[in-house]
Amino acid sequence: MKHAEGFHDREGILYADDLNLADLAWEYGTPLYVYSASRIRQKIGMLSDAFASALPPGRRPLIAFATKANTNKAVLNLMASSGLGADVVSGGEMLRAMAAGIPAEKIVFSGVGKTDEELRYAIDHDILQINVESAAELERIMAMKPTRPVRLGFRLNPDVDAGTHAKISTGHSESKFGMPAEEIADLYALAGSIPNLKPVGLSLHIGSQLTSLDPFAAAFENLARLGQKLKCETLDFGGGLGISYNNEKLVDLNVYAGLVRDILAPLNAALITEPGRFLVGDGGILLSRIIDVKTTTGDPILILDAGMNDLMRPALYDAVHRILPVSGRGNEYKMTFDIAGPVCESSDIFASAQSLPELKRGDLVALMDTGAYGASMASTYNSRPLPAEIMVDGSRHGLVRKRQTLQDIIRDETVPDWLNA
Ligand SMILES: *Cc1c(COP(=O)(O)O)cnc(C)c1O
């Protein structure tokens, strides 16, 4: 029998693939990130299939996973073994991608502030492409006088509104990301005149959690127009595909792939795409235990053992994650709770007036769809240890990041001798 993929109900209990989440919580403790390898593979398949139906072999995009969505070694390993590349935004992510087995020739380096050290690291490893963000960055690469060919993409700011949350929009003209077309045309020519610098293409990324095709179409048109003019060999059309957090209507993948076929493929350039959230977002949950139920004059508050340091999206982006009870899934939703973390910040709130069954201290809840920008954004604020992370695959499960200890938190700090002298 083919096993279940991802998170679902079974006999009144929430399961991850074929595993009971209540059992996993007992075994590994909480707060706990749980990733479903089978669900992530399924998402990779959905995207590859869409490109495969739109484009002939050899013309399909390299899928370069945007590692910042989830930098866990096991997740990156899964991407590597599925043949994916990586889009990295720091030297640390480049190291992680390569350590996970993603070959340098499938790695693109984006990011608005790459240090000289990071650029040298990318050049030394001969990665596929460095996506240049500014004239100033190109100047620094030129000053390095590389002794081997360096392939450069130039990040276009297509000046489109992605129609997503302001804090995850990157494609409008006032954003700090990318450059206008005219500037890129000049830099392209300049780079082409420098020994060993190879201006090969363009990149763009207009924002995250897009649920409409129009901004993609507008951005792709701009990319194609400039790509045609500069005779680009590569076109990197970014990430941004949304997932369903609360029943949002999503982009039809076949129509999306059709836009790539109709607008970008005619240029005959090698295509690159950089999805992050789409591949891992609904392949992960954050499992948390209720520390206390606090009664107030308003709705009672469930105080969880997971906080904004473990999952920052609600505090940072007003993101709303579904919160589900792990047991008693069939019970009547007759209560209304506010749901908060234990961190000493009023923004450490996951939900208000959430309808749920009766819940008590010690019960488990799952914060759904937290596989992207969850653990990768976690911090130790309030001196809270980073949570453990596990991966499941069918009936197999294993630790993919050990829970931090309190000693881990203070180990790297020192007090200079003179302070108490
Ligand atoms: C964050 C990022 C992505 C991935 O965005 P998603 O919305 O997670 O798909 C892709 N490209 C670049 C340059 C990014 O910064």
Side-chain angles (χ1 to χ4, degrees):
M1 193 186 89
K2 197 168 175 313
H3 60 68
E5 283 152 336
F7 304 93
H8 59 279
D9 289 347
R10 201 181 289 183
E11 288 156 6
I13 297 186
L14 195 61
Y15 268 65
D17 288 12
D18 290 326
L19 296 159
N20 178 324
L21 281 166
D23 293 344
L24 293 173
W26 280 116
E27 178 158 355
Y28 295 99
T30 54
L32 179 71
Y33 274 101
V34 182
Y35 307 125
S36 161
S38 57
R39 177 60 179 163
I40 295 172
R41 267 191 227 104
Q42 195 177 43
K43 296 299 291 279
I44 296 171
M46 285 165 66
L47 189 60
S48 325
D49 289 352
F51 288 129
S53 13
L55 295 157
R59 307 283 308 124
R60 294 164 191 159
L62 167 69
I63 301 179
F65 173 57
T67 55
K68 73 180 188 292
N70 191 319
T71 39
N72 185 277
K73 197 183 228 171
V75 171
L76 296 183
N77 242 277
L78 180 53
M79 300 303 175
S81 61
S82 306
L84 270 59
D87 167 52
V88 302
V89 293
S90 70
E93 287 192 357
M94 212 182 312
L95 169 74
R96 280 179 179 280
M98 291 187 293
I102 297 176
E105 75 231 29
K106 288 186 183 174
I107 297 179
V108 296
F109 186 14
S110 303
V112 75
K114 310 177 190 74
T115 65
D116 283 3
E117 199 184 353
E118 289 174 319
L119 287 166
R120 260 186 226 107
Y121 189 56
I123 293 170
D124 289 348
H125 285 90
D126 198 21
I127 64 165
L128 175 59
Q129 178 171 317
I130 297 174
N131 287 332
V132 176
E133 281 271 358
S134 65
E137 185 182 324
L138 178 63
E139 229 171 76
R140 284 189 297 120
I141 297 173
M142 284 164 43
M144 286 174 192
K145 301 195 178 3
T147 53
R148 64 162 81 174
V150 180
R151 286 168 298 279
L152 302 176
F154 290 81
R155 179 158 176 183
L156 174 66
N157 183 318
D159 194 17
V160 298
D161 178 359
T164 183
H165 190 277
K167 288 191 181 165
I168 48 175
S169 287
T170 53
H172 50 285
S173 60
E174 304 86 61
S175 115
K176 70 172 180 176
F177 298 99
M179 294 171 276
E182 313 78 65
E183 186 176 359
I184 290 181
D186 292 345
L187 296 182
Y188 216 85
L190 172 62
S193 70
I194 309 289
N196 282 329
L197 293 195
K198 308 285 171 209
V200 292
L202 301 172
S203 75
L204 63 65
H205 174 68
I206 55 173
S208 203
Q209 184 55 15
L210 272 70
T211 50
S212 148
L213 282 163
D214 297 347
F216 283 122
F220 293 178
E221 296 281 2
N222 287 347
L223 190 69
R225 198 171 308 124
L226 185 60
Q228 186 94 57
K229 183 168 149 192
L230 300 176
K231 303 190 170 57
C232 290
E233 295 161 37
T234 69
L235 291 175
D236 174 347
F237 57 93
L241 282 174
I243 62 165
S244 171
Y245 288 102
N246 289 287
N247 284 318
E248 291 90 339
K249 194 167 173 296
L250 299 181
V251 162
D252 180 324
L253 289 182
N254 289 315
V255 184
Y256 175 76
L259 289 181
V260 174
R261 176 196 59 219
D262 296 341
I263 305 174
L264 300 177
L267 275 73
N268 273 320
L271 300 174
I272 305 168
T273 183
E274 308 168 339
R277 184 189 315 272
F278 177 81
L279 298 181
V280 292
D282 58 16
I285 62 153
L286 176 57
L287 202 52
S288 177
R289 208 173 277 285
I290 298 168
I291 297 179
D292 270 314
V293 181
K294 179 168 178 171
T295 51
T296 67
T297 50
D299 291 331
I301 309 175
L302 301 179
I303 312 279
L304 306 186
D305 67 359
M308 64 187 283
N309 69 299
D310 304 301
L311 175 66
M312 197 181 181
R313 299 188 67 256
L316 187 63
Y317 309 131
D318 308 314
V320 178
H321 289 271
R322 285 177 298 142
I323 300 177
L324 303 180
V326 169
S327 306
R329 302 277 313 127
N331 295 354
E332 189 195 340
Y333 277 45
K334 58 180 182 187
M335 299 286 292
T336 307
F337 291 109
D338 288 348
I339 302 174
V343 170
C344 295
E345 291 288 340
S346 9
S347 54
D348 188 21
I349 295 281
F350 292 123
S352 309
Q354 168 102 16
S355 170
L356 279 166
E358 181 115 45
L359 286 166
K360 57 183 190 312
R361 171 191 302 158
D363 287 347
L364 290 166
V365 293
L367 291 93
M368 304 304 288
D369 311 311
T370 46
Y373 307 105
S376 63
M377 281 190 174
S379 78
T380 58
Y381 184 44
N382 278 207
S383 290
R384 291 166 46 78
L386 290 175
E389 298 167 55
I390 65 168
M391 185 177 274
V392 305
D393 194 5
S395 55
R396 293 176 296 182
H397 56 97
L399 200 60
V400 297
R401 187 190 165 105
K402 177 164 97 83
R403 185 178 306 285
Q404 259 191 337
T405 65
L406 296 181
Q407 280 307 316
D408 290 335
I409 290 183
I410 59 169
R411 197 182 41 216
D412 294 333
E413 292 173 32
T414 49
V415 179
D417 293 341
W418 47 258
L419 191 64
N420 298 310

